[in-house]
Structure formats: C-alpha cells, structure tokens
Amino acid sequence: MRYGFGIDLGGTTVKLAFFEENGTCLSKWEISTDKTDNGSRILSDIATSVTAYLEENQVCREDVLGIGIGVPGSVDLYGVVFNCINLGWGKKDVPRELGDLTGLPVACGNDATMAALGECWQGAGNENMIFVTLGTGVGGGIVCDGKIVAGVHGAGGEIGHIPLCPDDPIPCNCGKHGCAEQYLSATGIVRLAREALSLPHEASVLDSGELSAKRIFDAGREKDTLATAVLDRYFELMGRFLGTLCCTVDPDVIVLGGGVSKAGQILLDGALAPMQKYAFAPCRTTRLALATLGNDAGIYGTFKLALQKFG
Amino acid sequence: MRYGFGIDLGGTTVKLAFFEENGTCLSKWEISTDKTDNGSRILSDIATSVTAYLEENQVCREDVLGIGIGVPGSVDLYGVVFNCINLGWGKKDVPRELGDLTGLPVACGNDATMAALGECWQGAGNENMIFVTLGTGVGGGIVCDGKIVAGVHGAGGEIGHIPLCPDDPIPCNCGKHGCAEQYLSATGIVRLAREALSLPHEASVLDSGELSAKRIFDAGREKDTLATAVLDRYFELMGRFLGTLCCTVDPDVIVLGGGVSKAGQILLDGALAPMQKYAFAPCRTTRLALATLGNDAGIYGTFKLALQKFG
C-alpha cells in the first residue's frame, strides 16, 4: 500500500491529510498559516508538520508517493504560483521549494480547482464537471475527462470573472465591470437585495435587520415579494452564467459549493430552468447538484492531483 | 511506417486525405456528398473510396492505423452522432458503421472541433488553444493539453451559442436569443451594419450595393465613419466573447478562422484590446492569431484524432 498527503493552504489555516492511495483518509489535522514576513515560513511549517507525521507514525518515506497542495492564487501548468495576495507571495516555485524541504515529490494547483477535483473524485461530481464556489466571491474549477483545466496562466476556471453585465458602473474587485461574482456571490445577492430595497416596494421582512444571502433565501422560501423578485433576478443571471459554461465545455454535471450553496434545494430549483433556457439544446439535460465534501474538498482534490502525477 | 485517413464530411463534398503517421499528407481528394434518401449512402460511398485508394496504391491494410472523420453535427464522447440536420441523419453510430464497411478502426468528431485539432497540430495553434470559426455561423473547438474538449453531449466548443445579448428580440437559428453568432458571424456583422444604416447617419460607401462582411471591413480600412462605428460595436462584442473564453479555459492562443477571418490583420488589431479589457488579469497576455490551414484544417484534425486513438 502506498500513501500521500493532501494539503489545502488557506489564508488562516493549513489543512493537512494523509491518505491511502485508494482514497481512504487516515488522518487529518490543521496548523495555522503564518502570514508574517510575506509568508516566508509557510512552506517550512508545512514541511515540519509532514515530517513529524511520518516519524510519529513510522511511515517509510519510500511508501509515500508524494504531496498535493492547493494555494489561493493563480498557478501555472508546472505548479508555479504567479501570486497569492492573501499570503504575501509573489512568484513561487512551490513544487521545488516544498520538495526540497520534504524530500517528496510535490504537485501544486489552485485551491478552487483542487476542490473541483475533490468533488470529482469523492463528492457530487464526476469526470466531466464544473465546480462553482458561491462564497464571498465566485470561483470555479473545470474537470474534463478527469483532468483539471488549469489554464496556461493558471486562470482556467476563473469563471467568477466572466463579464455578465459589462455596463455596470460599479467595478469588481478585479478592476473589471460586471463580472459574474458581482451578482452571484454571497456579497452579490446582498447587493441585488439592497438595490431592490432602495426602490419603492411593498413591505418586506428584509426592510429591517442585516442583509445576508441566508436571510434572502429564507425570505424567498416564505414567499416574501421583494425577496422573490431578488431571487428571480439572481436566478436569471445564474442561468446566463451556467448556460455560458454549458456552451463552452458541456459538462455532465455542474456542482454548486461555497456558502451560498447552503441554501440547498431552492438554489437548484431556481437555477435549473434559467440554465436550460440559456444552454445550447443538446446540453439542456446537464445536471445541477450541491457539493457534498464541504471544507474537505481541497484535501481530497490535492491528494488526487498527487495520485495523478506520482501514483 | 504506418498510415491513416483524415476525412472531413461536409454538406456538399467529402474531403478525404491519406497521411503518414508523422503528419505528411500523401494524397487528398474529394467525392460529392449524396444527401438523398436521408444521406443513407454517404458512409458506403466513403468506404468505397477508401477501399479503392488502398487497392490502387497497394497499401496493406495492416499498415493503416485507422480513420478519423469529422461531421457537421453534435457527436458524443464515443463518436456517436446525435444528429446532422444538413445530412438528413438522426442518431448514427459512425465508428461502428464505417468500421464495419471498411474493416478499419474509426474515430468520429464534430467538424469544428476537428478543425481546431488540425490547427492545434499543424496550424496556428498549439496544445492549449481555442479555435473560433467566424463563418455563416460561429463554431469553435477547444483544445486543452492537446486533447479536444468534446463535451458530454457533443456540445463542447459550441461557443457561437454563448448568450451575449439575451434581451435581443430577434431569435438565433437555435431558438435562443442573443447568441454570439447573431453578431460575430459573417451574417451577424451584416446585420449590425444594416441596423446602423437604418438610423440617421452621414453618407457611407455602404449606403448602396449589397452588404457583406468583406465590404464592411474594406470600408473600415478606408475610415468610412459608419463602417468604423459598426466595427467598433463588433469588436466590443467580440471582446466580451473572447474575454469570457479566457476566464473559462484560459488558453495560450485563440485562433480565428472561417470566412470573416479573411479580413486579416484589421480583425486581430480590432479584437485584441477589447479581449484584454474583458479577460481576467493573468490571461491578458493570451494571443490572437489567424488560422493557417484554411479548408484543410478538418482533414489534419481528423487524422490527428485517429492517431490519438489508434496510433
């Protein structure tokens, strides 16, 4: 039996896991992400944790096929990071540096793409899928025939920046205007509600209290008129977005994850018909599903990447 | 040395070619496409032509690795055609039927996708590219790491049906509204010109004579005010379209082919800045190029598919 590590490097914590090559997770733990000094100690902290695990559990290094690691930034085809603003990193050759520190082969990918690979392998997806994370922003990962579409500049699956409403005067965090994530993220749906509330409208439960994606979906379930109109607009834009993806890579299933996906069935029910309206006819049977691995998608995906490269 | 066939099945003619496995085209010829009787004789005509070539040239069947064939319709992951309206075909298992008729292994793909694979292999593209055909309609093919993205329902690369202007009251041929091909095809740019001519405008060389994509680009080169405004609108929509593709699969190069691409440098120069405006920052260095194989892209691509499957 051979083994490997899956590591999900986030801005606050690093999730680490040790797997059997059949996908069984034997152990998982976290260490904190030390972002001081431009994140210069992050990789050595990870190497220390990996080495300690192998020693404590008397795992022979020859039985370890390698390490997969996901980082919150653009990663090129060779696993070299372009930049991770959250970590203070500029260009960084993670496979070489972490490989030198651990003596193990290392493969590196973008975190959203790794989560996609995790859902593909052990979650709600399959070998032809798109994973859409609807969180503070909108990220994604595309899997075709079981392989991730990383993109030449590490921007494969950066679907949150598809231009949906280019005439929008409000800029996206990325500097462009009208990106999908300006409407479809948790922040985006709150913005749509705020806009609706600023216009004349009948009394709504959203008139008072802090707005959140959860409250808007809850109000929609209760047939609140304003919330229903906001969700109609949200689903219309979601339909154009998902329809665009269907006309491009034509997946079997689109898996929705991230905080907004906790809305559950109402999200699937609301997005399906608009997606079918905007998809090209042969792909109108494309399925929509909710992610099932939650925060563990990254560790499964990174280990799977290591398996693909070194297994 | 082994050999194979690349076959591009069109609505009027079938282009056939015989290749060495290194990509040298030894011979190419055409037969007409017999669409009578719902195209029931097309595959047997092709088989007859293939068999005759092998006999006339005394090629041993064991030295032939197989046949690749491209068809004008949706093709699934197994090479089974969903439908080819132009040929009168419904569902058709081309690999099995043509395989039985010739005794050779057969791989089948969509024609635009096959042209993409041809440009990838022997033309202006490379292993990470998108091919965009700007003809009567807009088609495309996506190549990631040298493999085509065929799509689960054969709709991978059906980028002409990305919804760009969903509020357009005029429907696309596919039944949807505001598809990219309604603006970016040869027909689309004529439509944009017709709309501009219907509004008050200063005198233009396009006021008389039949409109065509060629005349509009020619007038733009001569700084005709109306043509320049039409091309500005065309390039703005092209930029949104190409920027969307960059945010999704992040290719190294986007290759423009089809009749409109004969406009040449003015097309590349006009589309580049809008594409960069709408692309996600890391992929703003994505290149635009003109296709170089012309009508031969299909035969190169289909032979390459046969090589990938049987070589």
Side-chain angles (χ1 to χ4, degrees):
Chain A
M1 176 67 75
R2 299 184 76 206
Y3 306 91
F5 291 91
I7 300 175
D8 187 9
L9 169 50
T12 310
T13 58
V14 186
K15 295 189 192 69
L16 300 98
F18 189 66
F19 288 90
E20 288 182 351
E21 74 189 316
N22 63 12
T24 305
C25 179
L26 297 174
S27 182
K28 65 181 179 179
W29 66 99
E30 294 186 3
I31 61 175
S32 58
T33 306
D34 179 0
K35 289 191 289 191
T36 60
D37 200 15
N38 283 328
S40 64
R41 280 175 293 275
I42 293 173
L43 291 183
S44 57
D45 288 349
I46 291 173
T48 303
S49 187
V50 160
T51 305
Y53 182 88
L54 294 178
E55 285 173 5
E56 282 161 22
N57 295 278
Q58 300 182 310
V59 180
C60 179
R61 213 165 268 264
E62 284 70 52
D63 293 336
V64 180
L65 57 91
I67 295 172
I69 180 168
V71 302
S74 295
V75 179
D76 76 8
L77 293 172
Y78 308 100
V80 176
V81 174
F82 273 35
N83 64 70
C84 286
I85 297 165
N86 286 345
L87 305 180
W89 287 0
K91 189 172 173 177
K92 199 168 190 74
D93 188 343
V94 172
R96 192 183 55 72
E97 289 190 33
L98 188 58
D100 287 349
L101 289 164
T102 59
L104 292 169
V106 175
C108 178
N110 167 268
D111 56 357
T113 308
M114 292 299 100
L117 194 56
E119 287 287 343
C120 160
W121 187 38
Q122 299 276 337
N126 62 30
E127 300 239 304
N128 288 284
M129 63 168 276
I130 297 178
F131 182 55
V132 182
T133 55
L134 304 165
T136 313
V138 171
I142 300 171
V143 181
C144 288
D145 289 336
K147 296 283 187 338
I148 55 175
V149 176
V152 167
H153 314 89
E158 284 288 4
I159 53 182
H161 298 283
I162 288 177
L164 277 192
C165 306
D167 298 328
D168 194 327
I170 300 174
C172 179
N173 287 334
C174 78
K176 300 199 299 161
H177 287 258
C179 292
E181 80 170 27
Q182 290 183 263
Y183 318 99
L184 304 181
S185 63
T187 329
I189 190 168
V190 165
R191 174 193 160 185
L192 295 180
R194 195 163 283 137
E195 285 174 3
L197 287 165
S198 73
L199 300 171
H201 62 277
E202 63 178 74
S204 164
V205 298
L206 300 176
D207 281 321
S208 60
E210 198 165 344
L211 287 172
S212 68
K214 180 177 188 311
R215 281 195 67 217
I216 297 163
F217 278 105
D218 286 346
R221 269 189 216 93
E222 302 297 324
K223 313 287 183 208
D224 180 274
T225 307
L226 183 132
T228 303
V230 168
L231 289 177
D232 283 351
R233 173 116 198 269
Y234 181 81
F235 290 133
E236 171 70 13
L237 289 163
M238 180 69 89
R240 282 174 53 194
F241 173 71
L242 298 176
T244 296
L245 298 177
C246 288
C247 294
T248 309
V249 297
D250 182 19
D252 183 46
V253 57
I254 296 179
V255 177
L256 305 179
V260 175
S261 72
K262 292 182 183 153
Q265 196 61 37
I266 190 176
L267 178 64
L268 297 185
D269 291 344
L272 187 64
M275 174 177 95
Q276 290 169 337
K277 182 173 90 175
Y278 287 116
F280 191 52
C283 37
R284 281 181 196 158
T285 54
T286 304
R287 292 178 299 119
L288 267 186
L290 297 170
T292 58
L293 296 179
N295 289 331
D296 286 347
I299 51 175
Y300 279 94
T302 49
F303 174 63
K304 179 64 174 172
L305 181 71
L307 260 185
Q308 288 183 342
K309 294 243 177 179
F310 315 121
Chain B
M1 178 66 76
R2 299 184 78 205
Y3 306 91
F5 290 91
I7 300 176
D8 187 8
L9 169 51
T12 310
T13 58
V14 186
K15 296 188 190 71
L16 301 97
F18 190 66
F19 288 91
E20 289 182 349
E21 79 192 309
N22 63 12
T24 305
C25 180
L26 297 174
S27 182
K28 65 181 179 179
W29 67 99
E30 294 185 3
I31 60 175
S32 58
T33 306
D34 179 1
K35 289 190 289 190
T36 59
D37 200 15
N38 283 326
S40 64
R41 280 174 293 274
I42 293 174
L43 291 183
S44 57
D45 288 349
I46 290 172
T48 303
S49 188
V50 160
T51 304
Y53 182 88
L54 294 177
E55 285 172 4
E56 283 161 21
N57 294 278
Q58 301 181 311
V59 180
C60 178
R61 213 167 268 262
E62 284 71 53
D63 293 335
V64 180
L65 57 89
I67 295 172
I69 180 168
V71 302
S74 294
V75 180
D76 76 8
L77 294 172
Y78 309 100
V80 176
V81 174
F82 273 36
N83 63 72
C84 287
I85 298 165
N86 286 345
L87 305 179
W89 287 0
K91 188 171 173 176
K92 199 168 190 72
D93 189 343
V94 172
R96 191 183 55 72
E97 289 190 33
L98 188 59
D100 287 349
L101 288 163
T102 59
L104 292 169
V106 175
C108 177
N110 165 268
D111 57 358
T113 307
M114 291 300 100
L117 194 56
E119 287 287 343
C120 159
W121 187 39
Q122 299 274 338
N126 61 30
E127 300 240 305
N128 288 285
M129 64 169 277
I130 298 177
F131 182 55
V132 183
T133 54
L134 303 165
T136 313
V138 172
I142 300 171
V143 181
C144 289
D145 288 336
K147 296 284 187 335
I148 56 174
V149 176
V152 167
H153 314 90
E158 284 288 4
I159 53 182
H161 298 283
I162 287 176
L164 276 192
C165 307
D167 299 328
D168 194 327
I170 300 173
C172 178
N173 287 334
C174 77
K176 301 199 299 160
H177 287 257
C179 291
E181 81 171 26
Q182 289 184 262
Y183 318 97
L184 304 181
S185 62
T187 328
I189 190 167
V190 165
R191 176 195 158 182
L192 295 179
R194 193 162 285 137
E195 285 174 3
L197 287 165
S198 73
L199 299 171
H201 61 277
E202 63 178 72
S204 164
V205 298
L206 301 175
D207 282 321
S208 59
E210 197 165 346
L211 286 172
S212 69
K214 181 176 187 310
R215 280 194 67 217
I216 297 163
F217 278 104
D218 286 346
R221 269 190 215 93
E222 302 297 324
K223 311 287 184 210
D224 180 273
T225 307
L226 183 131
T228 302
V230 167
L231 289 177
D232 283 350
R233 172 113 199 271
Y234 181 81
F235 290 134
E236 171 70 13
L237 289 163
M238 179 70 89
R240 282 175 52 195
F241 173 72
L242 298 176
T244 296
L245 298 176
C246 288
C247 295
T248 309
V249 297
D250 182 19
D252 183 47
V253 57
I254 296 179
V255 177
L256 305 179
V260 175
S261 72
K262 291 182 185 153
Q265 196 61 37
I266 190 177
L267 178 65
L268 297 185
D269 291 345
L272 188 64
M275 174 178 94
Q276 291 171 337
K277 182 173 88 172
Y278 287 115
F280 192 52
C283 37
R284 280 179 197 158
T285 53
T286 304
R287 292 179 299 118
L288 267 186
L290 298 170
T292 58
L293 297 179
N295 289 333
D296 286 346
I299 52 174
Y300 279 95
T302 49
F303 174 64
K304 177 65 174 173
L305 181 72
L307 259 185
Q308 288 183 343
K309 294 241 178 182
F310 314 121

